[in-house]
Amino acid sequence: SRLAGVGKLSAGAAHEINQPLNVIRMVAYNLRRSIEKGTLETETALAKLQRIDEQIDRAARLVGGMKAFSPTSKQDHCTIDPSEAVATALELLAKRFGAAEVALEYHPTDKRVALQSPPTAIQEVVAHVVDNTLEAYGPVAEVDPFASNKTVIERKLTITEVVSDGRFTLCFEDGAGGMETEFLAKAAEPFVTADETAGHAGLGLTICRDLITSMDGEFLLEPVEGGLRVTVSLPVTQASAS
């Protein structure tokens, strides 16, 4: 399942990483030209070097996020910022949202907290849940503009972070049709999938549940009108000073 995740994310990750690389190339070219012309000013050079540093940090963050999908990645618990992990995962997945024509509505918490987690577990949970959502929406249906009874379904995933009572809660809510009650009850069990094309092993939600449980957290699936809500709740170990 992790290797399948790598395949789905690789194109998007390459696109996202190319952006900071292109900025670095452009800034380096401008610096070189200024040096050759003898017009380089110290203040300008420092500003451009700062921009290069920022882009290097962004690329490093994206590469680090990809480690979540390596089956050989070290998964010892450490102190992480869950909001930062979620943001990194969504940055890696940005191209997939665009390709599926699904809008992302992300509401991060403004409270900085820390929790104990395998270093890439949060990214992995986000990627699996997002993958399930995009697959549930399916391909974009063509709508006849002249049809009198046309129905347009809003393709959207809302992700909300809440910090309250010593817990970090991450909530995913979509309008992709949801699941039947009987199927929902076993959706997180191994090899359970609604994909009839055999394109999924049926392990994504199982991995999410097991990762969250290993962190003394709670993983909940529940129906909402027209869709599904996935809630992850984890104990906070400390609140940052900010």
Side-chain angles (χ1 to χ4, degrees):
S1 183
R2 285 180 173 179
L3 291 175
V6 170
K8 292 180 179 180
L9 282 173
S10 59
H15 173 77
E16 295 301 324
I17 292 172
N18 269 332
Q19 291 186 26
L21 292 178
N22 286 331
V23 172
I24 291 170
R25 179 187 291 114
M26 179 187 67
V27 174
Y29 172 80
N30 289 336
L31 281 171
R32 185 173 65 251
R33 292 288 293 169
S34 296
I35 292 172
E36 290 172 347
K37 294 180 179 179
T39 59
L40 184 65
E41 298 179 355
T42 300
E43 186 174 344
T44 301
L46 289 174
K48 290 184 180 295
L49 290 171
Q50 175 63 31
R51 191 175 183 192
I52 287 177
D53 282 342
E54 291 170 355
Q55 297 304 313
I56 290 173
D57 288 343
R58 181 186 176 193
R61 185 173 67 252
L62 290 167
V63 171
M66 286 297 293
K67 291 180 181 178
F69 306 95
S70 168
T72 59
S73 60
K74 189 176 181 180
Q75 293 294 305
D76 293 339
H77 283 56
C78 62
T79 302
I80 69 161
D81 180 335
S83 291
E84 185 177 300
V86 172
T88 299
L90 293 177
E91 194 170 9
L92 282 167
L93 292 160
K95 191 174 179 64
R96 290 211 65 205
F97 279 100
E101 295 188 23
V102 172
L104 171 63
E105 189 174 297
Y106 175 41
H107 303 285
T109 178
D110 58 358
K111 298 179 181 178
R112 302 264 62 83
V113 296
L115 53 82
Q116 292 298 307
S117 163
T120 55
I122 300 297
Q123 291 101 312
E124 191 166 355
V125 169
V126 172
H128 281 301
V129 174
V130 167
D131 185 47
N132 274 20
T133 299
L134 300 185
E135 294 290 344
Y137 274 115
V140 181
E142 293 186 9
V143 179
D144 183 354
F146 301 103
S148 58
N149 61 341
K150 61 181 179 181
T151 301
V152 179
I153 298 176
E154 184 180 16
R155 297 167 66 90
K156 182 175 74 171
L157 174 62
T158 302
I159 302 178
T160 306
E161 298 174 0
V162 176
V163 175
S164 179
D165 298 326
R167 299 189 74 84
F168 173 83
T169 301
L170 183 63
C171 180
F172 306 79
E173 189 168 321
D174 65 52
M179 302 177 182
E180 297 292 337
T181 303
E182 292 184 4
F183 186 86
L184 185 61
K186 59 182 181 180
E189 295 303 314
F191 309 113
V192 174
T193 176
D195 184 6
E196 299 178 354
T197 66
H200 284 274
L203 290 171
L205 293 180
T206 306
I207 291 172
C208 292
R209 182 198 62 188
D210 292 349
L211 281 171
I212 298 305
T213 302
S214 75
M215 293 183 275
D216 297 324
E218 298 174 358
F219 184 75
L220 178 65
L221 302 173
E222 55 187 332
V224 293
E225 185 176 357
L228 179 71
R229 179 187 295 128
V230 179
T231 304
V232 171
S233 178
L234 293 163
V236 169
T237 54
Q238 69 183 73
S240 299
S242 54

